[in-house]
Amino acid sequence: MTNPINITFDEIALDDIAGVTGKLAILVSPDGKIDSMARRVNRLSKGAVARLVDSEQFAGLDIGEGVTFAFPAGMAAEAVLAVKLPKRPTVAEARKAGAAMAKFKGNEALTALLASCPKAADISYGLALRAYTFDEHKTADRKEQLGATVIVTDPEAVAAEAAPMAALTEAVFFTRDLVNEPSNVLTTEDFAARLAAMHELGLDVEILEEAELEKLGMRTLLAVGQGSTSPSKVVVMRWNGGGDEAPFALVGKGVVFDTGGISIKPSAGMEDMTMDMGGAGVVSGVMRALALRKAKANVVGVVGLVENMPDGNAMRPGDVIRSMKGDTIEVNNTDAEGRLVLADILWYTQERFKPVGMINLATLTGAIIIGLGHENAGVFSNNDKLCNDFLKAAKAEGEGAWRMPLSPAYDKMLKSRVADMKNSCGRPAGSSTAGQFLQRFVKEDMPWIHLDIAGVALLKEDSALAPKGATGWGVRALDRLIRDTVEG
Ligand code: BES
Ligand code: MN
Ligand code: ZN
């Protein structure tokens, strides 16, 4: 597992700044004003900071971006990054500044001189989140990542504020690792073992094997995995930090690889389907966060782990399968497998846990990428209150989310000639018909959200707080939602 870089909070005597080795970061407000620590750097470097502030390059920077200068005379530091940041930055600006420091830092040691910046904890949060690397499988250029020292006037207070953020960082890294991991490593067995190991954190983890799933009648989930040599599993994670009230439920699609099955996908780009367990990855990350920060809430996380492969034993297009709920489904496309997995675990979760609310996450449709690109996840809900609470939490965390329609008008597209419904109905409104399908497995009065994260789980470009690859989108928003509404 990728561990977050070590960040220590400390203070410094101004006279000691000249002797700091490695890389150094300072803050400069957009109007050119600088704090005592940056002033000292300016004096030591014979006015380099002041000249930099007057430069066109600095004028062209956005808030949270920085300019560097190397080997300043009069200082032991090898390079200095001056980050443009107002004296009272917003949380988003502070995290962006931290991310700029992480990029500048690379694998080397960094000292961030933040003086009495009121958002020092958020700067270190951005730094930690952006300093993620996934080099588990690189034998050649795998380097040890040195830590960062954050220098502030009140290190104890900032360290206390940063502690829950460190828990979230670890949880986000857990999710990113799961999503980045190739499918020959992250099999259903390996995934379940990583979740079972969270027992140590105080989570109650239960693994349901195929025989058990068969008994429960989870035929649609099992049908997806029946062409794979990896056994299908459902993992139930429980965090009981609240009283004895009913839990909130998180449900995730965990297709460890999606070939499409017999309705096989084109080979170009198929390697990206290692991320098709992204929903389950986020659910697992949130459960880890709750345990690490000892949340005062009861939450159950349920993930369906399967692999969608073509095989002599695989489900066929045209097969009719009975779900745990009892509704029958004509599989007219074996590549619309995510909804088959979710149908059974959504139903199971409601029957067993009677949750007060339920959110599922899934890399469900390519259509959501056509609709929203990589900026926003699709949000589908039967409950305005829960939906708005979630949108608010996502906005506060800077995780893009946009509400999309569900409507009985889409139901006619799901009609099957031979069964109660079919699993795929072509290109028009492909993400909404998928949501409409899922809603058939949600009880009428159950507050519910479906998050289609196909466009946001894995990115080909660096984003604000993550290098290219898995983002961990949703871990922070869902943790915040639980903090603000379930705990609170
Ligand atoms: N896992 C895919 C959706 C997906 C596409 C995720 C691109 C990430 C990036 C899903 O199982 C799928 O294949 N969906 C089909 C549904 C269709 C057959 C109704 C799709 O989107 O084409
Ligand atoms: Mn598919
Ligand atoms: Zn899929």
Side-chain angles (χ1 to χ4, degrees), residues 236-474:
V236 177
M237 294 163 269
R238 269 186 289 178
W239 175 253
N240 295 314
D244 36 47
E245 67 269 26
F248 192 85
L250 300 173
V251 176
K253 166 181 173 181
V255 176
V256 296
F257 194 76
D258 181 13
T259 62
I262 298 300
S263 312
I264 198 164
K265 288 179 180 295
S267 54
M270 200 200 274
E271 68 276 12
D272 289 345
M273 286 303 121
T274 55
M275 53 74 102
D276 210 22
M277 33 51 66
V282 173
V283 170
S284 308
V286 177
M287 297 310 294
R288 191 177 188 94
L290 298 176
L292 286 170
R293 67 172 185 79
K294 307 223 181 313
K296 292 188 173 49
N298 293 342
V299 181
V300 57
V302 179
V303 295
L305 309 181
V306 299
E307 186 178 39
N308 189 19
M309 295 291 258
D311 178 79
N313 197 40
M315 64 175 170
R316 291 159 289 256
D319 283 3
V320 173
I321 307 166
R322 180 186 288 273
S323 67
M324 181 182 173
K325 181 186 173 194
D327 293 357
T328 58
I329 301 166
E330 175 197 356
V331 180
N332 59 333
N333 189 328
T334 65
D335 198 12
E337 85 296 341
R339 61 197 78 182
L340 299 175
V341 174
L342 288 170
D344 275 345
I345 53 176
L346 285 170
W347 193 254
Y348 173 74
T349 300
Q350 295 166 95
E351 288 283 90
R352 178 164 170 203
F353 298 106
K354 313 267 184 286
V356 292
M358 178 167 70
I359 298 182
N360 74 257
L361 295 101
T363 48
L364 201 65
T365 67
I368 201 69
I369 307 175
I370 306 302
L372 299 175
H374 300 286
E375 313 305 324
N376 288 291
V379 182
F380 301 80
S381 182
N382 62 358
N383 184 292
D384 291 346
K385 164 84 170 74
L386 180 62
C387 188
N388 289 333
D389 284 347
F390 176 75
L391 291 171
K392 208 169 117 194
K395 187 161 191 187
E397 288 299 330
E399 295 185 316
W402 200 267
R403 191 168 186 180
M404 300 287 282
L406 289 169
S407 158
Y410 296 119
D411 277 327
K412 58 179 177 300
M413 296 162 78
L414 293 169
K415 281 206 172 109
S416 161
R417 182 176 59 82
V418 293
D420 296 335
M421 69 194 90
K422 58 185 178 185
N423 74 330
S424 155
C425 42
R427 290 160 62 90
S431 300
S432 284
T433 54
Q436 199 68 26
F437 180 100
L438 295 182
Q439 195 172 12
R440 293 182 174 210
F441 300 89
V442 175
K443 296 185 181 183
E444 194 119 20
D445 52 356
M446 175 62 57
W448 162 73
I449 301 177
H450 153 51
L451 296 172
D452 193 337
I453 61 169
V456 295
L458 185 92
L459 300 177
K460 305 269 182 213
E461 305 290 338
D462 294 355
S463 56
L465 297 175
K468 59 167 129 347
T471 59
W473 183 99

Side-chain angles (χ1 to χ4, degrees), residues 75 82 99 149 156 161 165 196 217 338 354 394 450 457-458:
M75 298 176 65
T149 308
E156 263 122 73
E161 196 188 341
M165 301 176 189
K354 313 267 184 286
H450 153 51
L458 185 92

Side-chain angles (χ1 to χ4, degrees), residues 5-138:
I5 59 162
N6 188 31
I7 298 184
T8 50
F9 297 91
D10 209 344
E11 47 200 342
I12 200 168
L14 288 177
D15 284 341
D16 292 341
I17 289 177
V20 177
T21 54
K23 294 183 175 178
L24 211 60
I26 57 172
L27 303 176
V28 180
S29 87
D31 58 12
K33 291 221 177 78
I34 53 178
D35 58 51
S36 57
M37 295 181 186
R39 248 190 334 265
R40 176 59 66 108
V41 171
N42 185 48
R43 222 175 68 212
L44 291 165
S45 62
K46 299 205 165 48
V49 178
R51 277 155 60 211
L52 185 147
V53 168
D54 284 336
S55 71
E56 243 173 73
Q57 208 187 346
F58 186 79
L61 293 181
D62 282 340
I63 304 289
E65 293 178 343
V67 187
T68 60
F69 57 96
F71 304 109
M75 298 176 65
E78 67 179 64
V80 178
L81 174 77
V83 180
K84 192 182 208 171
L85 196 70
K87 266 191 88 135
R88 310 211 156 274
T90 64
V91 167
E93 289 168 345
R95 291 181 184 175
K96 189 173 169 197
M101 291 177 195
K103 275 182 272 181
F104 166 70
K105 174 188 176 303
N107 293 320
E108 289 159 64
L110 172 81
T111 303
L113 301 175
L114 305 186
S116 52
C117 176
K119 291 282 190 291
D122 288 286
I123 293 175
S124 37
Y125 194 18
L127 199 169
L129 285 169
R130 184 61 181 76
Y132 174 84
T133 53
F134 185 72
D135 51 14
E136 194 61 37
H137 305 295
K138 294 199 176 185

